[in-house]
Amino acid sequence: GQQLNQSPQSMFIQEGEDVSMNCTSSSIFNTWLWYKQDPGEGPVLLIALYKAGELTSNGRLTAQFGITRKDSFLNISASIPSDVGIYFCAGSTDSWGKFQFGAGTQVVVTP
Amino acid sequence: ETGVTQTPRHLVMGMTNKKSLKCEQHLGHNAMYWYKQSAKKPLELMFVYNFKEQTENNSVPSRFSPECPNSSHLFLHLHTLQPEDSALYLCASSAGLAGSYEQYFGPGTRLTVT
């Protein structure tokens, strides 16, 4: 089946640093979504991407839909303690909204 | 209530019990989803409903039985579960065929099977 690889698995960063993570797929996607999940809660949608090359920001978060349509990137600038959590990518190829999810990147921010 | 709600938030059940998880979305969406989230693994899609019709069953064992009486409510009926079924069960909704496929999640039900 389709493989969606997300890296890194975890990151330990200092407050104020920038964070980058990415997802790659063996298949071409039409849509990429990025989520954040806090402990004991459901994932919260951060950014949605619909076109190859698209670059979209949401506050300090910026995500890009890769030109090849097989990858996507999420950057967090000037991290703060509340950025702690697990970030997931999700990609879809079909018109029914069926998404593949990455395994997540755990971000830990130290003061 | 706003967004997607799920009840109960926590559930402990024996392998011979029958229980149900409930999901309700207040977003006017037409598609609803059940996912299973196990530690260190990607979210696993279980079922998809579009306009109350099941459009996806991702080879889920029959001990999980979904029900979608209308576009706002989704249930997951559980019976004779196994310990490996312990996980966080997430419900999500999207506008689906009527709009975008951005999925919005509920807080999940933490299920423990003893």
Side-chain angles (χ1 to χ4, degrees):
Chain A
Q2 292 174 344
Q3 292 291 319
L4 188 56
N5 297 308
Q6 183 170 354
S7 65
Q9 273 191 318
S10 60
M11 310 183 69
F12 292 81
I13 59 173
Q14 285 200 312
E15 188 175 349
E17 288 184 351
D18 296 345
V19 175
S20 292
M21 62 193 78
N22 69 84
C23 282
T24 59
S25 168
S26 56
S27 303
I28 290 174
F29 283 148
N30 296 323
T31 304
W32 284 98
L33 305 177
W34 282 94
Y35 289 88
K36 182 191 178 203
Q37 186 174 24
D38 292 328
E41 298 296 330
V44 173
L45 182 64
L46 300 173
I47 292 177
L49 303 162
Y50 295 100
K51 289 172 56 175
E54 181 180 355
L55 189 70
T56 298
S57 293
N58 178 4
R60 292 177 297 104
L61 278 63
T62 301
Q64 184 163 24
F65 195 139
I67 290 293
T68 66
R69 295 171 63 193
K70 292 185 177 182
D71 55 8
S72 181
F73 308 87
L74 177 70
N75 295 311
I76 307 172
S77 62
S79 58
I80 60 177
S82 61
D83 290 333
V84 166
I86 302 178
Y87 292 78
F88 293 97
C89 64
S92 177
T93 59
D94 67 31
S95 57
W96 289 103
K98 196 169 97 173
F99 282 86
Q100 296 275 327
F101 281 77
T105 295
Q106 179 152 27
V107 172
V108 177
V109 180
T110 57
Chain B
E1 293 280 12
T2 58
V4 181
T5 58
Q6 289 186 244
T7 55
R9 292 294 307 273
H10 301 273
L11 178 62
V12 180
M13 60 185 287
M15 289 190 284
T16 58
N17 290 161
K18 289 184 180 181
K19 296 286 184 183
S20 295
L21 309 184
K22 179 183 175 184
C23 175
E24 184 174 359
Q25 59 94 2
H26 309 268
L27 300 169
H29 288 164
N30 296 299
M32 297 188 77
Y33 311 78
W34 278 118
Y35 288 88
K36 176 183 179 183
Q37 186 176 35
S38 303
K40 307 296 185 185
K41 292 176 67 175
L43 270 71
E44 300 172 49
L45 179 65
M46 300 175 71
F47 302 102
V48 181
Y49 279 81
N50 279 279
F51 295 95
K52 304 188 298 178
E53 299 297 320
Q54 187 180 120
T55 52
E56 182 80 20
N57 176 338
N58 204 21
S59 304
V60 179
S62 60
R63 56 186 184 270
F64 295 91
S65 174
E67 179 190 359
C68 187
N70 55 61
S71 292
S72 298
H73 294 84
L74 185 63
F75 295 89
L76 188 63
H77 304 299
L78 316 171
H79 64 97
T80 58
L81 295 190
Q82 305 298 311
E84 60 265 29
D85 296 323
S86 298
L88 182 69
Y89 288 84
L90 291 162
C91 173
S93 71
S94 73
L97 294 172
S100 80
Y101 294 103
E102 296 168 14
Q103 294 185 14
Y104 294 85
F105 286 85
T109 294
R110 173 67 63 185
L111 174 66
T112 303
V113 181
T114 61

